[in-house]
């Protein structure tokens, strides 16, 4: 792990994750089995660098979920890595057909998709170019499709949830993505939620660069500077407890427009 001045390279990151298995162990850096239980996003939808202390990052890969209307069960999922988006679609299609096991042999059973009370629309792409206001043509859709217009993927969002993916963006790219996301929020109650690993700092913003998957781990102050530059305020922040010792802490931020 390096703490010099490189920046994330999108293609290098995609190439790395494309070599990892599209399962819980793959996206959770080997922590997907055993006593470490993490409900990653798909399941929830469906029912200065010298201060790093050399903590292992536990590379994790999730995408971005954009719930159009959570009460109506309408969701959008963005993922750039082909094996992962293919596996997500496979699990969605299997659930839609009432199967409990998909073609990859994984248990699926997304109840909201199986009973058509929820809808997930899949987009393949990267955050650097993704605009939630006008996401473009979807790759696929599973589950219930509302008839009253709430299924329109260019509708505004109640929540934009970013989990274990923002390390692939340089600061400028991240600020721009958050600014685009801010414009896509439905009203003053809508939120952007960020859930990411954070590195240690010594009274100043810090980042640690991981050469293997070409990502940043930012410190708390580094994230807060980005949020400020994007015109967002923190409504609530919280550390997730119960993770294995020795890993970077995982912190969640709920954000609204300043």
């Amino acid at each position: 792990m390096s703490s010099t001045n490189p920046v994330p390279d999108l293609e290098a990151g995609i190439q790395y994750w494309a070599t990892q298995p599209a399962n819980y162990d793959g996206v959770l850096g080997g922590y997907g089995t055993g006593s470490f239980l993490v409900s990653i996003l798909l399941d929830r939808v469906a029912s200065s660098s010298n201060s790093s202390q050399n903590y292992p990052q536990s590379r994790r890969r999730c995408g971005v979920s954009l719930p159009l209307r959570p009460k109506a069960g309408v969701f959008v999922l963005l993922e750039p890595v082909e094996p992962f988006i293919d596996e997500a679609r496979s699990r969605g299609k299997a659930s839609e057909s009432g199967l409990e096991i998909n073609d990859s042999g994984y248990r699926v059973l997304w109840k909201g998709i199986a009973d058509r009370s929820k809808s997930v629309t899949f987009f393949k792409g990267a955050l650097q170019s993704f605009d939630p206001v006008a996401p473009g043509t979807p790759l696929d859709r599973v589950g219930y499709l509302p008839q009253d217009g709430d299924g329109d993927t260019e509708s505004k969002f109640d929540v934009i949830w970013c989990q274990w993916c923002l390390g692939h963006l340089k600061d400028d790219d991240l600020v721009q993505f958050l600014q685009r996301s801010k414009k896509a929020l439905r009203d003053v109650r809508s939120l952007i939620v960020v859930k990411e690993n954070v590195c240690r700092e010594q009274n100043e913003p810090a980042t640690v660069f991981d050469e293997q998957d070409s990502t940043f781990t930012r410190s708390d102050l580094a994230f807060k500077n980005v949020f400020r530059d994007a015109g967002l305020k923190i409504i609530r922040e919280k550390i997730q407890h119960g993770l294995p010792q020795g890993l970077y802490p995982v912190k969640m931020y709920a954000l609204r427009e300043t």
Side-chain angles (χ1 to χ4, degrees):
M1 190 172 292
S2 171
S3 59
T4 54
N5 297 314
V7 294
D9 180 279
L10 173 61
E11 291 304 318
I14 290 176
Q15 289 175 15
Y16 169 81
W17 285 107
T19 66
Q20 305 306 301
N23 57 28
Y24 293 132
D25 260 349
V27 299
L28 297 175
Y31 287 91
T33 58
S35 60
F36 178 33
L37 301 178
V38 175
S39 295
I40 68 169
L41 189 56
L42 289 177
D43 286 333
R44 181 161 54 249
V45 166
S47 48
S48 174
S49 320
N50 54 5
S51 60
S52 70
Q53 300 293 317
N54 294 320
Y55 283 116
Q57 182 176 356
S58 177
R59 296 176 190 83
R60 298 171 183 153
R61 180 78 185 115
C62 289
V64 171
S65 173
L66 303 97
L68 292 169
R69 298 294 301 276
K71 290 182 181 179
V74 183
F75 298 84
V76 168
L77 178 69
L78 174 72
E79 169 58 56
V81 180
E82 189 164 353
F84 291 174
I85 193 71
D86 287 347
E87 179 63 24
R89 291 172 65 197
S90 171
R91 297 190 185 197
K93 291 289 189 184
S95 292
E96 192 175 48
S97 300
L99 302 176
E100 293 191 10
I101 305 295
N102 72 343
D103 291 340
S104 302
Y106 294 111
R107 183 176 177 84
V108 287
L109 196 60
W110 297 358
K111 293 181 180 180
I113 302 303
D115 64 18
R116 305 301 175 104
S117 65
K118 292 181 171 64
S119 173
V120 179
T121 301
F122 301 95
F123 287 88
K124 183 176 182 292
L127 295 175
Q128 284 86 340
S129 57
F130 185 73
D131 186 353
V133 174
T137 303
L139 185 66
D140 208 346
R141 187 191 304 266
V142 295
Y144 173 64
L145 184 59
Q147 301 300 312
D148 60 0
D150 283 335
D152 182 359
T153 55
E154 294 191 6
S155 174
K156 290 196 171 184
F157 298 92
D158 289 327
V159 179
I160 296 179
W161 187 291
C162 311
Q163 178 167 329
W164 289 325
C165 59
L166 301 184
H168 288 277
L169 281 76
K170 297 178 289 186
D171 282 355
D172 289 347
D173 288 335
L174 179 51
V175 168
Q176 292 170 17
F177 168 71
L178 292 173
Q179 289 173 335
R180 294 194 298 272
S181 297
K182 181 175 62 175
K183 293 178 181 178
L185 294 176
R186 184 178 301 277
D187 55 40
V188 295
R189 299 170 299 172
S190 304
L191 292 169
I192 298 172
V193 178
V194 168
K195 180 176 180 178
E196 294 283 346
N197 295 84
V198 291
C199 64
R200 288 197 173 184
E201 59 196 9
Q202 295 178 343
N203 300 317
E204 63 180 12
T207 59
V208 174
F209 183 75
D210 191 315
E211 295 176 346
Q212 188 165 15
D213 66 348
S214 191
T215 58
F216 277 143
T217 298
R218 293 177 170 88
S219 70
D220 181 60
L221 283 177
F223 270 117
K224 288 177 177 177
N225 283 349
V226 167
F227 301 153
R228 178 201 63 207
D229 293 345
L232 295 167
K233 61 183 177 182
I234 298 173
I235 303 301
R236 187 176 180 185
E237 54 188 299
K238 185 177 182 180
I239 292 285
Q240 178 173 330
H241 298 288
L243 303 182
Q245 292 185 355
L247 301 181
Y248 284 133
V250 174
K251 190 164 186 179
M252 294 168 282
Y253 306 88
L255 309 166
R256 285 192 178 125
E257 186 170 5
T258 302

